[in-house]
Amino acid sequence: MQEPDKVKPIQPGVREVLRNANFRRLWLAKSISEFGNVLTTLALVILVNRLTGSVAAIATLTITLLIPSIVFGMLAGVWVDRLDRRRIMIISDGLRGVLVLGFGLVGSTDWLPFLYALGLVQAGIGTFFNPAQNALFPTIVPKAQLLAANGLTQTSLTVAASLGGALAGVMIAALNLFWPIFVVDALTFLASALLIARLKLSAQEAAPKTSTASARRFWPEMGQGLSITLHNPMLLGTLVAAGVALLGLGAIETLFVPLLVNELHSSEAWLGPIQVAGTLATIVGGSLLAWWAGWLRPTTMICWGLIVLGLTVGLDGTVNAPWQFILLQVIIGLVITPINTSIVTINQNAVEDALRGRVGAARLTVTSVAQVLSMGFAGTLGDLIGVRNVCFVAGGFVIVAGLLAGRIFRTGLRPNSTKSGPAIQPH
């Protein structure tokens, strides 16, 4: 008697992932979008600095770009689950591609209110794009390949961000103009929209995940993503890991330049080699993760990765020469992609498709609040206790994030746990 054909198991490697045409299109769209976003964000920071020379004005810009995630994040999550996610992303790209051209009109301090308002609107539209993209991702990538796919994506996002930052500096220095930057960003939005439009989804994959019939259910659904997260130890662990870590990392992001320039009396030119070292290390870390995805446990990578990251951030406060930052940045680059990739993968696997938009938006809202709080207090703490001591405090927050997340994850991985819900299976 002939044996039935055995179903060939899905391979988790990066080569197999890249054979997926839908993944390639979404991956390229996401990378192109990140390149354009960083290009414009850095250009706006440089523009505001040239017009005002004010750190407060730059901080206002940074916080303005983060506020929509806090105010509109939950709202966006509900609509992402109620509407066609692909259509949401295409419309979002189209609108932002037009709006970004408006930044080219800003030429004096009189236009700053317009710049802030336009940045607020554009970032608000972006709050719909990211949850839709993250929710759609697991529908086009098999579960066994998610870790490898996310690792490849996180690595490409880092490379795209570095290239965007480098190109912004080169274009502004060479042309002494800002409007070409915004034209390039508009083209990246167009390219992203075209790639997303080419996604070949089944009727079930493209259909809305939640009925839009009952308007009375809309407001309760806004809080549903956070409620689900708080009652699922796996999701709660990733939220604590990211949120508590960002309470420290947001401050470092704000104070790194003052530490390099004011404390060490070094040139801003060192930012280039430091960024390049971090980018190359991130590529190595992401590549190793993509190839070893089948043998790594996401929860372990998050916990130990955060502890190593926290120790490294704390060591920033002991640096006496700028070249030492390069060594520390290499360590950070090696661990940051496994941490981010594992957090994303756990959330994709632990949430059913109909709820991914709301859960993802809730996570983005909480982490944005943590980042804004950290940035807001960074300057005050730096003046009170010194920039170096802020590094020690920030590193402590990151280490605590890893320890707390590990404790929560252990609850979710217990076989007899009744509160874990649909948690991922450890690799």
Side-chain angles (χ1 to χ4, degrees):
M1 182 176 178
Q2 186 177 2
E3 294 184 3
D5 293 337
K6 294 183 179 180
V7 178
K8 186 178 180 180
I10 297 174
Q11 299 299 315
V14 67
R15 290 181 180 176
E16 288 73 18
V17 172
L18 288 173
R19 293 192 180 102
N20 184 332
N22 275 339
F23 166 75
R24 291 198 305 271
R25 294 182 182 111
L26 192 59
W27 169 52
L28 287 173
K30 197 165 188 174
S31 300
I32 291 171
S33 291
E34 182 67 12
F35 171 81
N37 288 338
V38 173
L39 190 72
T40 289
T41 300
L42 184 56
L44 290 177
V45 170
I46 296 173
L47 177 59
V48 170
N49 186 58
R50 284 194 180 184
L51 292 176
T52 68
S54 168
V55 176
I58 296 174
T60 301
L61 171 66
T62 304
I63 293 174
T64 297
L65 297 178
L66 284 172
I67 283 176
S69 296
I70 300 171
V71 177
F72 305 119
M74 300 286 197
L75 175 71
V78 176
W79 284 115
V80 163
D81 289 334
R82 284 173 169 245
L83 302 175
D84 184 326
R85 291 164 179 168
R86 178 173 56 180
R87 186 172 300 173
I88 287 176
M89 289 187 287
I90 294 172
I91 294 173
S92 176
D93 272 340
L95 291 175
R96 289 185 294 167
V98 173
L99 289 174
V100 73
L101 295 173
F103 290 124
L105 300 173
V106 179
S108 68
T109 54
D110 294 337
W111 284 84
L112 281 182
F114 171 78
L115 184 150
Y116 292 142
L118 188 61
L120 188 70
V121 173
Q122 190 195 33
I125 295 172
T127 61
F128 289 82
F129 181 90
N130 292 327
Q133 191 176 61
N134 291 332
L136 184 62
F137 200 85
T139 68
I140 64 176
V141 178
K143 186 174 182 178
Q145 295 178 348
L146 277 176
L147 192 61
N150 285 320
L152 185 60
T153 300
Q154 292 295 324
T155 302
S156 65
L157 291 181
T158 301
V159 174
S162 298
L163 291 176
L167 181 61
V170 170
M171 288 182 68
I172 293 170
L175 303 175
N176 199 29
L177 295 171
F178 287 88
W179 66 262
I181 295 281
F182 306 129
V183 171
V184 172
D185 193 15
L187 293 176
T188 66
F189 281 121
L190 175 61
S192 175
L194 291 175
L195 285 166
I196 293 168
R198 292 188 61 199
L199 291 176
K200 296 179 180 179
L201 305 177
S202 66
Q204 183 179 1
E205 290 171 336
K209 309 305 174 184
T210 303
S211 172
T212 60
S214 176
R216 290 179 299 177
R217 294 177 52 193
F218 187 89
W219 297 109
E221 285 178 7
M222 283 186 63
Q224 192 173 10
L226 185 58
S227 176
I228 291 171
T229 300
L230 295 177
H231 288 85
N232 184 318
M234 301 303 290
L235 297 176
L236 179 59
T238 63
L239 183 65
V240 168
V244 176
L246 281 171
L247 286 174
L249 295 176
I252 292 298
E253 185 178 336
T254 303
L255 298 177
F256 182 75
V257 172
L259 176 59
L260 175 67
V261 177
N262 300 339
E263 293 285 328
L264 298 183
H265 306 289
S266 301
S267 169
E268 291 93 339
W270 276 99
L271 291 171
I274 292 170
Q275 185 178 40
V276 169
T279 301
L280 293 176
T282 301
I283 294 172
V284 173
S287 300
L288 292 175
L289 175 64
W291 288 106
W292 296 342
W295 295 274
L296 299 172
R297 178 179 293 180
T299 52
T300 301
M301 285 191 288
I302 292 172
C303 300
W304 283 106
L306 286 173
I307 291 172
V308 172
L309 179 60
L311 291 172
T312 307
V313 167
L315 287 174
D316 280 340
T318 67
V319 167
N320 295 313
W323 63 265
Q324 296 171 2
F325 280 125
I326 294 178
L327 300 178
L328 296 177
Q329 198 65 28
V330 168
I331 299 174
I332 292 173
L334 289 172
V335 300
I336 200 69
T337 296
I339 293 171
N340 289 334
T341 299
S342 299
I343 289 175
V344 172
T345 303
I346 286 175
N347 279 269
Q348 289 170 345
N349 278 331
V351 183
E352 61 181 277
D353 192 19
L355 298 170
R356 285 196 187 112
R358 277 161 279 182
V359 172
R363 184 176 70 255
L364 180 61
T365 300
V366 173
T367 54
S368 296
V369 169
Q371 193 170 5
V372 168
L373 288 174
S374 183
M375 289 178 171
F377 284 113
T380 303
L381 285 176
D383 291 336
L384 288 175
I385 65 175
V387 175
R388 291 182 180 274
N389 287 327
V390 173
C391 292
F392 301 143
V393 174
F397 270 109
V398 180
I399 293 172
V400 169
L403 296 175
L404 289 176
R407 185 175 180 84
I408 297 170
F409 285 144
R410 283 194 292 272
T411 302
L413 292 172
R414 289 172 186 165
N416 60 347
S417 175
T418 59
K419 297 174 63 180
S420 61
I424 74 161
Q425 296 299 317
H427 289 280

